Amino acid sequence: MNDGPPKTVGVLGGGRMGSGIAHAFLASGSRVVIVENDPDAADAARSRVSAGLARAHERNTLPTSPADAVSRLRTTADPGELAGCELVVEAVPEDAALKATVLARAVEHAPDAVLASNTSSLSIDGLAAGLAAPDRFIGLHFFNPVPVSDLVEIVVGSLTAPALVERARGWVTALGKTPITVSDSPGFASSRLGVCLALEAMRMLEEGVADAADIDTVMVLGYRHPMGPLRTTDVVGLDVRLAIAEHLARELGPRFEPPRILRDLVAAGHLGRKTGRGFFTW
């Protein structure tokens, strides 16, 4: 098992999840390259990571200085900057075709790198189908917000090399996080359980069992969850939860069929914290 994190990490996509993944590796001493679609998006990603590092420093949760961490960050629109990366993590939206495209780009520019997907529900074997070396591909499912989340779900495809699984566990441990290992399956362990709970909470809200705050309080005070399922959905994004639920419904059956309230809120543009309104007002 590795004694530390990868020396150089590429991150494809610098949004909330990608910037959080970059933050985690920078905090552990890695050099990080974030590749975005265009220079403006690359600059926005740099600002996002810098702001997150500054907040962590204020909370005394950053083991180095923000200046040192930022000095090891490169943001760019040039995928050629991935050359020489030990690990490349894709962190683009949950669209299989998009992920396949960016993974192919990573192979082109970093042919010797380990490839990982941050997917929360898509099949690792399905994504590996277009790769020349599926044994060097693995799922690394980080949780939002990445810098303060303790868990990383390592998803093992049918062709993933056993040695890579151990290597990935070492990397996750070096980040100060706890790895769990699951076999490639719809929704893995985390999304399958989390979405199941959230969908039932939505159905209860639809049926008038209780209001959103009280439903969440049941799980926070009664079951010691740090956050209730409806507020968690707001943080994750209602659109993200809807896409995952639709995928799980196709794969596992009608028990994961999204409730009407979720579809209606997404159609109205109420996506949770990022838009200011979801099941709660932010």
Side-chain angles (χ1 to χ4, degrees), residues 12-281:
L12 294 166
R16 183 182 296 274
M17 290 303 299
S19 62
I21 292 167
H23 176 134
F25 280 106
L26 289 166
S28 69
S30 299
R31 305 189 71 84
V32 176
V33 178
I34 296 177
V35 178
E36 264 289 4
N37 287 330
D38 55 62
D40 287 344
D43 289 344
R46 186 176 188 84
S47 297
R48 196 174 292 117
V49 175
S50 297
L53 292 167
R55 288 193 298 271
H57 178 67
E58 291 170 1
R59 295 192 300 265
N60 294 317
T61 58
L62 187 67
T64 184
S65 71
D68 172 65
V70 171
S71 73
R72 289 182 275 104
L73 172 65
R74 166 85 172 145
T75 59
T76 179
D78 178 10
E81 297 278 351
L82 295 172
C85 284
E86 185 177 350
L87 168 68
V88 176
V89 183
E90 72 78 10
V92 299
E94 288 288 279
D95 178 285
L98 175 61
K99 287 183 183 293
T101 297
V102 299
L103 287 169
R105 191 175 303 147
V107 170
E108 179 184 354
H109 295 284
D112 297 324
V114 169
L115 296 184
S117 174
N118 184 54
T119 181
S120 58
S121 62
L122 297 175
S123 169
I124 293 301
D125 281 349
L127 293 173
L131 300 177
D135 58 313
R136 287 193 284 111
F137 181 58
I138 198 165
L140 289 179
H141 178 206
F142 290 82
F143 289 76
N144 185 32
V146 177
V148 299
S149 176
D150 293 329
L151 179 67
V152 177
E153 193 173 35
I154 297 174
V155 187
V156 182
S158 61
L159 298 177
T160 302
L164 176 55
V165 179
E166 288 306 304
R167 195 175 176 192
R169 290 182 65 87
W171 287 338
V172 171
T173 301
L175 295 181
K177 301 184 185 298
T178 299
I180 66 162
T181 305
V182 300
S183 299
D184 187 28
S185 57
F188 317 137
S190 58
S191 291
R192 189 163 170 175
L193 288 170
V195 171
C196 181
L197 178 61
L199 296 180
E200 188 59 29
M202 294 173 205
R203 294 184 189 104
M204 291 168 64
L205 185 61
E206 276 185 331
E207 294 166 9
V209 173
D211 65 21
D214 283 351
I215 291 170
D216 272 9
T217 299
V218 167
M219 300 311 300
V220 172
L221 298 183
Y223 290 86
R224 301 300 182 188
H225 289 202
M227 189 184 301
L230 296 174
R231 190 171 293 274
T232 298
T233 297
D234 274 7
V235 171
V236 170
L238 275 69
D239 53 335
V240 175
R241 273 277 159 92
L242 175 59
I244 295 171
E246 288 177 332
H247 171 70
L248 292 177
R250 288 192 297 270
E251 296 292 327
L252 297 173
R255 67 186 186 277
F256 285 99
E257 180 63 30
R260 174 52 54 189
I261 191 173
L262 177 60
R263 294 190 183 278
D264 289 348
L265 285 168
V266 171
H270 302 314
L271 307 182
R273 185 171 65 178
K274 60 190 171 185
T275 61
R277 179 181 166 190
F279 292 104
F280 297 90
T281 299

